[in-house]
Amino acid sequence: MCGRFTLVTDPEKLMSRFHLQEIPFDLKPRYNIAPGQQIPAILADGGRRRIGQLRWGLVPSWAQDDKIGYKMINARAETLQEKPAFRRLFERKRCMIPADGFFEWKQMDGRKQPMRITMRSGEPFAFAGLFDTWTAPDGQKLHTCTIITTRPNEVVADIHDRMPVILRQEDEDLWLDREKYDPDLLQSLLVPFDPGQMRAYPVSAIVGSPKNDFPACIEEVAWQ
């Protein structure tokens, strides 16, 4: 699963990388993003990209209540077209979630060492995601999302048996284009990212608590 990630990239750089005209909210550095929190997400309307905020943890439009969101922070790429909760969203409600790193915990001698996985370049990237809107009994609308996962590449395999789908930059427009739906073509994008462009390094155990959201969360530490 993917249960924590970071986005500390400068907003101006983020706008340039993802071809955004504006960021209509205060985008502060996030060193330890956790499920249930509001996270930036990019959609496209008529070919124009826009960024907004969605709550991480999918609440399908048909859900009885919003508690299901905590069980749906991830969606497996291999079964998107089989599960009713995801099949319709795969057709029309695809989004990208910008990030510049994510955390996984490596099992070591009976304990877990948190690791941060990033691009070697340090550049931001985009997770493939799905989103939906749920209407509460009082009429309030809740916009939520899930991050798609796939099998691990060589960098992540030593740490965890799943990794988030990171889209290649040249595939991002296709993923966001809701007017075109070629399930086989879209499915072909949901594969492990090139391991040669990625690295992993140990970080402090403080990332275990989502209350900790400050620069020390992403600082490299010595192996314990």
Side-chain angles (χ1 to χ4, degrees), residues 35-218:
Q37 298 177 355
Q38 293 290 112
I39 62 173
I42 297 168
L43 287 69
D45 285 321
R48 179 183 171 186
R49 294 184 181 185
R50 59 187 178 90
I51 189 169
Q53 296 190 90
L54 303 173
R55 193 173 83 177
W56 185 11
L58 187 76
V59 181
S61 59
W62 44 261
Q64 291 187 338
D65 60 54
D66 64 347
K67 294 185 179 67
I68 193 173
Y70 290 97
K71 299 177 182 177
M72 300 180 75
I73 64 170
N74 292 155
R76 292 176 69 93
E78 298 87 343
T79 56
L80 285 183
Q81 298 183 64
E82 300 169 15
K83 297 199 172 181
F86 303 129
R87 186 169 55 233
R88 180 181 57 86
L89 306 184
F90 186 48
E91 292 178 11
R92 294 280 297 164
K93 293 192 172 184
R94 301 183 299 274
C95 64
M96 300 193 309
I97 293 137
D100 46 32
F102 62 96
F103 298 110
E104 286 296 357
W105 278 255
K106 180 180 173 70
Q107 197 76 38
M108 294 180 64
D109 301 322
R111 64 179 184 83
K112 292 184 176 181
Q113 170 64 56
M115 305 287 292
R116 183 172 182 242
I117 300 108
T118 67
M119 294 297 156
R120 288 185 179 276
S121 65
E123 292 295 303
F125 49 85
F127 298 136
L130 303 173
F131 70 96
D132 207 355
T133 300
W134 177 76
T135 304
D138 64 2
Q140 262 196 321
K141 292 189 181 298
L142 177 64
H143 306 287
T144 64
C145 65
T146 186
I147 293 172
I148 299 172
T149 65
T150 185
R151 63 188 186 279
N153 63 17
E154 285 88 341
V155 171
V156 182
D158 190 44
I159 304 168
H160 201 269
D161 62 0
R162 302 291 292 175
M163 71 176 288
V165 171
I166 298 171
L167 294 165
R168 297 188 307 165
Q169 192 167 348
E170 58 266 35
D171 294 331
E172 291 175 356
D173 282 337
L174 173 61
W175 180 254
L176 290 179
D177 189 347
R178 292 189 278 169
E179 300 307 313
K180 297 175 184 175
Y181 176 60
D182 181 334
D184 293 333
L185 181 57
L186 290 169
Q187 193 75 46
S188 74
L189 310 183
L190 306 180
V191 294
F193 197 78
D194 176 12
Q197 297 186 48
M198 301 181 71
R199 67 178 290 247
Y201 64 88
V203 294
S204 168
I206 60 174
V207 301
S209 171
K211 293 179 181 178
N212 298 325
D213 187 1
F214 37 77
C217 290
I218 65 171

